[in-house]
Amino acid sequence: MKDYINSIYKNHSQFYKILLFVVTTLLIVFIFPKSGRFKYKNFEKGKLWQTENLYAPFNFAIKKSNAELDKEKALIESQTTHFFNKNEEVEAKVKFDYEQSFNTVFKDTLKNYNDLKTKGLSILNELYQYGILNEDLNLNEDDKVVILVDNVEKKTTKFSNLQKLGTIKIKIEKELQSTYLERYSNSLTTLFFDIIKSDLNYNKQLTENVLKEALDKISQNRGVVDKGTLIISKGEVVNDEKYQILTSLSKEYESQVWSKSNYNWIVLAYTVLVALALLMLLLFIRKYRLDVYKNNTKVTFIFFNILVIVLLTSLVVNYNSEYVYLVPIAILPLVLKAFFDARLGLFTHVITVLLLGSIVPNSYEYMFLQIIAGIVTILTISELYKRANLFISVGQITLVYIIAYFAFFVIHEASIDNLKWETFGLFVLCGLATLFVQPLIYIYEKLFGLVSDVSLLELSDTNSKLLKELSNKAPGTFHHSLNVANLAEASANEINANAMLVRVGALYHDIGKMKSPTYFTENQSSGLNSHDELSPKESAKIIINHVIDGIEIAKKNNLPDRVVDFIRTHHGTSQVYYFYMKEKANNEDVDINDFTYPGPKPFSKETAILMMCDSVEAASKSLKEPTSSKIDNFVENIINKQKDDGQFLNANITFKEIESIKKVLKRKLANIYHLRIEYPE
């Protein structure tokens, strides 16, 4: 049991990665839409069917196209019936008022009294035959109208037969025109306007309900394809009819009704795909970024970012897939490059895009655009801490999106007549959203304890609290660190290493000397050597301990691990050779381990650069009457000894890069000592 527990403890890091892998896979599958996907998704109208003959895998209905449905809806809307409620009491009241008012307006002694009264009553009957509207309605003259009395259908007619209050005067003039009663037209009109009231009210709710009922009866289908029926043959043109059948089959695959019976299979398939993709990423990290793989926080950080991008994209796809290009996926390689390197950032970006390709429409177009955008992101961003670089890179990413999308659109449509300009707006908004990477990097630094170039820039400030303390307690060490930082930065630029990181590492690599500054020669200004009172073994212990002390001080001041690595490795497993030889002169039986730094050896280009520059700069103080040849031999001897001792075996630095660093150091030291050409006498 004890051995089992010990085994678990020793392999807890591996167990954590397995758990992280499983949880991330399940979360991504949970986020993904669970519908089936038609494998021939990218068919186009008017193009040849390039794949094998396609037979109906099951019975399915042929869906009507949007144009067909719109046409049917327009027809029903044009034939809709409009309902009006009629109040019959109004007509009776108006006729009663007519009898009373007519006798007041026209005297019974009038010659044509009876004829005029009869004519007026006849006009009233015509006006109220179907009724008079109380409002102006924007209906067609031929629209069907049903008149209801007490919610019972009374009459059916056309809208043109309904009377409007504004046309009463015209109606009277028309009836009396060219008759002997024409001269009474104005008086009769005035009378009518005093007594006439509308008796029709438009029943909008009933009209809309009837229309909705008719629209709901529209069938979404226009036929059925039986299982096993040949849908389209290889090489056949996808015409309108074939296109609609293929679209119907595609929708049937993705319909909720069909996918429920296959839900478990779909989930299993998604799980396999996602697991494969994440496994490839883990294997890549394990093989090419072992330091990242060993750090569970960094692996968690990478998986967390993939999960966030998948979540955002899935939410947008579920809401409206037309906005899928609004998701700033280029943030992913930007963030990973800021904390790790370009190669890991690009590989992770490609894996994420491949995952998303299974849920977005036009997957090939989407993956092409996003992978190209990721490559441009990696190639254009060199120094993220410089704000101008980020804006330039975002502009280039946006431009690449627009150009690539335009090319795809022309390929699909063979013209630009129907170009969707709003998609270009989505790309611009996506570019603006990518600028959020700066505050996002700061948030990630606080959450995951990582360090980016932006933080390195802040740490390189020599006015920081820790560096000021170093300059006060150990001014010689501080000056030495500045010189090493300049040499290391120039060397890093020469071989395309991280110059900002190596400069910061150089500034802090000797902070452990603050604990016992006078035991280091660069701080001995009085001419007294504190080591004279100690044995060589005690002196060596103090010298070696400055590495351990430096790590403690760095941890206490919350310096990032990437900076602490420089403190830990800048002497590797080399020896304090001076005190070793001094002890050996007095005692032949000497344990060399007492005079050896604990290591580890440098394990990156940057830490290897610091070891070389630190050794060369420190030893250069012992040069007497330096010349070009002396400096050249001096640099060669120091770095070759480190190389022969195997100090660079764990670092990914080549012989060619080491030779380039030698040249930089020789040139820089020559400038420091102001060497001139020696002319013959």
Side-chain angles (χ1 to χ4, degrees), residues 339-607:
F339 289 111
F340 304 111
D341 61 84
R343 190 176 178 187
L344 178 57
L346 182 59
F347 193 89
T348 306
H349 175 73
V350 171
I351 290 293
T352 306
V353 171
L354 290 176
L355 285 174
L356 296 176
S358 62
I359 64 170
V360 297
N362 300 319
S363 54
Y364 174 76
E365 175 184 318
Y366 176 85
M367 290 191 292
F368 184 91
L369 285 174
Q370 298 297 1
I371 290 175
I372 290 295
I375 293 172
V376 171
T377 302
I378 293 297
L379 293 178
T380 55
I381 283 287
S382 54
E383 296 170 321
L384 191 59
Y385 58 85
K386 293 183 179 179
R387 289 173 293 180
N389 286 358
L390 180 59
F391 281 97
I392 293 170
S393 179
V394 167
Q396 292 172 330
I397 293 167
T398 305
L399 183 61
V400 166
Y401 270 133
I402 291 173
I403 292 173
Y405 174 79
F406 176 81
F408 269 111
F409 187 88
V410 172
I411 290 172
H412 291 161
E413 302 293 331
S415 72
I416 60 172
D417 296 336
N418 299 318
L419 193 62
K420 297 179 180 178
W421 296 100
E422 59 271 18
T423 306
F424 295 153
L426 294 179
F427 291 138
V428 173
L429 291 175
C430 177
L432 294 175
T434 306
L435 296 174
F436 182 70
V437 69
Q438 284 284 18
L440 187 63
I441 287 173
Y442 176 78
I443 294 170
Y444 279 154
E445 285 178 338
K446 300 305 178 185
L447 288 177
F448 292 91
L450 300 173
V451 61
S452 67
D453 287 350
V454 180
S455 295
L456 291 176
L457 183 63
E458 295 174 357
L459 290 171
S460 67
D461 183 8
T462 54
N463 289 317
S464 65
K465 180 181 177 181
L466 189 55
L467 291 181
K468 272 194 170 184
E469 185 181 355
L470 177 64
S471 66
N472 291 330
K473 291 184 177 179
T477 300
F478 178 71
H479 181 69
H480 159 71
S481 297
L482 287 177
N483 289 337
V484 174
N486 292 331
L487 293 174
E489 184 176 18
S491 301
N493 285 326
E494 184 70 19
I495 64 171
N496 294 320
N498 191 331
M500 179 62 68
L501 177 61
V502 77
R503 179 175 181 83
V504 172
L507 288 173
Y508 292 91
H509 79 283
D510 270 343
I511 56 174
K513 292 181 179 180
M514 287 193 295
K515 199 165 186 179
S516 307
T518 57
Y519 285 91
F520 299 90
T521 55
E522 66 265 25
N523 299 313
Q524 296 171 354
S525 57
S526 62
L528 297 176
N529 191 338
S530 302
H531 290 286
D532 292 341
E533 300 176 359
L534 303 175
S535 67
K537 192 173 181 179
E538 290 173 327
S539 296
K541 184 177 181 181
I542 292 173
I543 299 297
I544 291 171
N545 279 346
H546 89 274
V547 173
I548 299 170
D549 295 336
I551 294 172
E552 291 178 358
I553 294 171
K555 294 289 187 181
K556 186 178 179 181
N557 287 271
N558 297 317
L559 289 185
D561 289 340
R562 292 177 77 185
V563 177
V564 176
D565 289 339
F566 287 91
I567 301 172
R568 188 180 288 114
T569 62
H570 73 279
H571 284 296
T573 56
S574 60
Q575 288 80 38
V576 187
Y577 198 69
Y578 174 79
F579 291 110
Y580 171 69
M581 295 304 296
K582 190 175 179 181
E583 177 70 14
K584 197 170 184 180
N586 300 325
N587 181 12
E588 288 293 332
D589 187 18
V590 180
D591 186 358
I592 195 170
N593 291 325
D594 294 334
F595 298 86
T596 303
Y597 284 97
K601 296 176 181 179
F603 46 77
S604 66
K605 285 183 182 180
E606 289 76 18
T607 51

Side-chain angles (χ1 to χ4, degrees), residues 26 54 67 106 237 318-319 415 455 464 502 517 527 626:
L26 294 178
L54 177 61
F106 301 100
V237 175
N318 288 333
Y319 174 71
S415 72
S455 295
S464 65
V502 77

